[in-house]
PDB file of all heavy atoms in Angstrom:
ATOM      1  N   GLY O 911     -20.349  -0.398  28.326  1.00  0.00           N
ATOM      2  CA  GLY O 911     -21.790  -0.333  28.434  1.00  0.00           C
ATOM      3  C   GLY O 911     -22.440  -1.707  28.198  1.00  0.00           C
ATOM      4  O   GLY O 911     -23.397  -2.078  28.901  1.00  0.00           O
ATOM      5  N   GLU O 912     -21.926  -2.397  27.263  1.00  0.00           N
ATOM      6  CA  GLU O 912     -22.641  -3.708  26.834  1.00  0.00           C
ATOM      7  C   GLU O 912     -21.717  -4.795  27.145  1.00  0.00           C
ATOM      8  O   GLU O 912     -21.642  -5.706  26.419  1.00  0.00           O
ATOM      9  CB  GLU O 912     -22.960  -3.602  25.346  1.00  0.00           C
ATOM     10  CG  GLU O 912     -21.804  -3.191  24.472  1.00  0.00           C
ATOM     11  CD  GLU O 912     -22.204  -3.005  23.070  1.00  0.00           C
ATOM     12  OE1 GLU O 912     -22.529  -4.036  22.549  1.00  0.00           O
ATOM     13  OE2 GLU O 912     -22.065  -1.897  22.535  1.00  0.00           O
ATOM     14  N   ARG O 913     -21.014  -4.722  28.286  1.00  0.00           N
ATOM     15  CA  ARG O 913     -20.103  -5.753  28.551  1.00  0.00           C
ATOM     16  C   ARG O 913     -20.898  -7.070  28.932  1.00  0.00           C
ATOM     17  O   ARG O 913     -21.767  -7.039  29.840  1.00  0.00           O
ATOM     18  CB  ARG O 913     -19.255  -5.465  29.761  1.00  0.00           C
ATOM     19  CG  ARG O 913     -18.322  -6.528  30.200  1.00  0.00           C
ATOM     20  CD  ARG O 913     -17.576  -6.155  31.422  1.00  0.00           C
ATOM     21  NE  ARG O 913     -16.914  -4.894  31.337  1.00  0.00           N
ATOM     22  CZ  ARG O 913     -16.046  -4.360  32.116  1.00  0.00           C
ATOM     23  NH1 ARG O 913     -15.874  -5.035  33.233  1.00  0.00           N
ATOM     24  NH2 ARG O 913     -15.479  -3.239  31.967  1.00  0.00           N
ATOM     25  N   PRO O 914     -20.622  -8.128  28.305  1.00  0.00           N
ATOM     26  CA  PRO O 914     -21.197  -9.421  28.693  1.00  0.00           C
ATOM     27  C   PRO O 914     -20.698  -9.832  30.033  1.00  0.00           C
ATOM     28  O   PRO O 914     -19.475  -9.816  30.273  1.00  0.00           O
ATOM     29  CB  PRO O 914     -20.926 -10.329  27.524  1.00  0.00           C
ATOM     30  CG  PRO O 914     -19.723  -9.773  26.904  1.00  0.00           C
ATOM     31  CD  PRO O 914     -19.691  -8.295  27.159  1.00  0.00           C
ATOM     32  N   SER O 915     -21.487 -10.444  30.830  1.00  0.00           N
ATOM     33  CA  SER O 915     -21.033 -10.895  32.142  1.00  0.00           C
ATOM     34  C   SER O 915     -20.221 -12.086  32.029  1.00  0.00           C
ATOM     35  O   SER O 915     -19.256 -12.231  32.783  1.00  0.00           O
ATOM     36  CB  SER O 915     -22.282 -11.181  33.084  1.00  0.00           C
ATOM     37  OG  SER O 915     -23.074 -12.193  32.433  1.00  0.00           O
ATOM     38  N   ALA O 916     -20.558 -13.003  31.121  1.00  0.00           N
ATOM     39  CA  ALA O 916     -19.859 -14.286  30.963  1.00  0.00           C
ATOM     40  C   ALA O 916     -18.785 -14.146  29.866  1.00  0.00           C
ATOM     41  O   ALA O 916     -18.992 -14.780  28.775  1.00  0.00           O
ATOM     42  CB  ALA O 916     -20.745 -15.476  30.752  1.00  0.00           C
ATOM     43  N   ASP O 917     -17.880 -13.209  30.017  1.00  0.00           N
ATOM     44  CA  ASP O 917     -16.886 -13.083  28.905  1.00  0.00           C
ATOM     45  C   ASP O 917     -15.605 -13.932  29.283  1.00  0.00           C
ATOM     46  O   ASP O 917     -15.003 -13.809  30.248  1.00  0.00           O
ATOM     47  CB  ASP O 917     -16.406 -11.582  28.871  1.00  0.00           C
ATOM     48  CG  ASP O 917     -15.682 -11.235  27.624  1.00  0.00           C
ATOM     49  OD1 ASP O 917     -15.472 -12.127  26.773  1.00  0.00           O
ATOM     50  OD2 ASP O 917     -15.238 -10.134  27.462  1.00  0.00           O
ATOM     51  N   PRO O 918     -15.367 -14.885  28.271  1.00  0.00           N
ATOM     52  CA  PRO O 918     -14.306 -15.767  28.632  1.00  0.00           C
ATOM     53  C   PRO O 918     -12.904 -15.166  28.472  1.00  0.00           C
ATOM     54  O   PRO O 918     -11.959 -15.890  28.803  1.00  0.00           O
ATOM     55  CB  PRO O 918     -14.483 -16.941  27.657  1.00  0.00           C
ATOM     56  CG  PRO O 918     -15.221 -16.231  26.508  1.00  0.00           C
ATOM     57  CD  PRO O 918     -15.993 -15.133  27.052  1.00  0.00           C
ATOM     58  N   SER O 919     -12.704 -14.029  27.890  1.00  0.00           N
ATOM     59  CA  SER O 919     -11.464 -13.612  27.568  1.00  0.00           C
ATOM     60  C   SER O 919     -11.036 -12.397  28.484  1.00  0.00           C
ATOM     61  O   SER O 919     -10.687 -11.354  28.013  1.00  0.00           O
ATOM     62  CB  SER O 919     -11.436 -13.071  26.063  1.00  0.00           C
ATOM     63  OG  SER O 919     -12.299 -11.876  26.016  1.00  0.00           O
ATOM     64  N   GLY O 920     -10.942 -12.664  29.740  1.00  0.00           N
ATOM     65  CA  GLY O 920     -10.650 -11.608  30.684  1.00  0.00           C
ATOM     66  C   GLY O 920      -9.308 -11.745  31.321  1.00  0.00           C
ATOM     67  O   GLY O 920      -8.869 -11.053  32.158  1.00  0.00           O
ATOM     68  N   GLU O 921      -8.449 -12.777  30.892  1.00  0.00           N
ATOM     69  CA  GLU O 921      -7.307 -13.053  31.729  1.00  0.00           C
ATOM     70  C   GLU O 921      -6.157 -12.191  31.272  1.00  0.00           C
ATOM     71  O   GLU O 921      -5.231 -11.912  32.145  1.00  0.00           O
ATOM     72  CB  GLU O 921      -6.940 -14.491  31.580  1.00  0.00           C
ATOM     73  CG  GLU O 921      -6.337 -14.885  30.256  1.00  0.00           C
ATOM     74  CD  GLU O 921      -7.506 -15.531  29.325  1.00  0.00           C
ATOM     75  OE1 GLU O 921      -8.579 -15.198  29.596  1.00  0.00           O
ATOM     76  OE2 GLU O 921      -7.203 -16.409  28.640  1.00  0.00           O
ATOM     77  N   THR O 922      -6.031 -11.674  30.014  1.00  0.00           N
ATOM     78  CA  THR O 922      -4.860 -10.984  29.659  1.00  0.00           C
ATOM     79  C   THR O 922      -5.236  -9.564  29.144  1.00  0.00           C
ATOM     80  O   THR O 922      -5.729  -9.447  28.002  1.00  0.00           O
ATOM     81  CB  THR O 922      -4.077 -11.615  28.538  1.00  0.00           C
ATOM     82  OG1 THR O 922      -4.929 -11.844  27.490  1.00  0.00           O
ATOM     83  CG2 THR O 922      -3.485 -12.937  29.024  1.00  0.00           C
ATOM     84  N   PRO O 923      -5.210  -8.534  29.954  1.00  0.00           N
ATOM     85  CA  PRO O 923      -5.525  -7.178  29.457  1.00  0.00           C
ATOM     86  C   PRO O 923      -4.325  -6.621  28.643  1.00  0.00           C
ATOM     87  O   PRO O 923      -3.435  -6.046  29.083  1.00  0.00           O
ATOM     88  CB  PRO O 923      -5.789  -6.392  30.769  1.00  0.00           C
ATOM     89  CG  PRO O 923      -4.977  -7.127  31.783  1.00  0.00           C
ATOM     90  CD  PRO O 923      -4.934  -8.565  31.363  1.00  0.00           C
ATOM     91  N   ALA O 924      -4.420  -6.931  27.365  1.00  0.00           N
ATOM     92  CA  ALA O 924      -3.315  -6.541  26.506  1.00  0.00           C
ATOM     93  C   ALA O 924      -3.389  -5.009  26.100  1.00  0.00           C
ATOM     94  O   ALA O 924      -2.364  -4.452  25.788  1.00  0.00           O
ATOM     95  CB  ALA O 924      -3.238  -7.284  25.232  1.00  0.00           C
ATOM     96  N   THR O 925      -4.586  -4.408  26.221  1.00  0.00           N
ATOM     97  CA  THR O 925      -4.697  -3.019  25.725  1.00  0.00           C
ATOM     98  C   THR O 925      -4.125  -2.129  26.926  1.00  0.00           C
ATOM     99  O   THR O 925      -4.248  -2.385  28.063  1.00  0.00           O
ATOM    100  CB  THR O 925      -6.135  -2.748  25.527  1.00  0.00           C
ATOM    101  OG1 THR O 925      -6.891  -2.912  26.769  1.00  0.00           O
ATOM    102  CG2 THR O 925      -6.774  -3.554  24.468  1.00  0.00           C
TER     103      THR O 925
END
Side-chain angles (χ1 to χ4, degrees):
Chain O
E912 48 185 296
R913 177 187 306 190
S915 58
D917 195 359
S919 68
E921 70 264 27
T922 57
T925 59

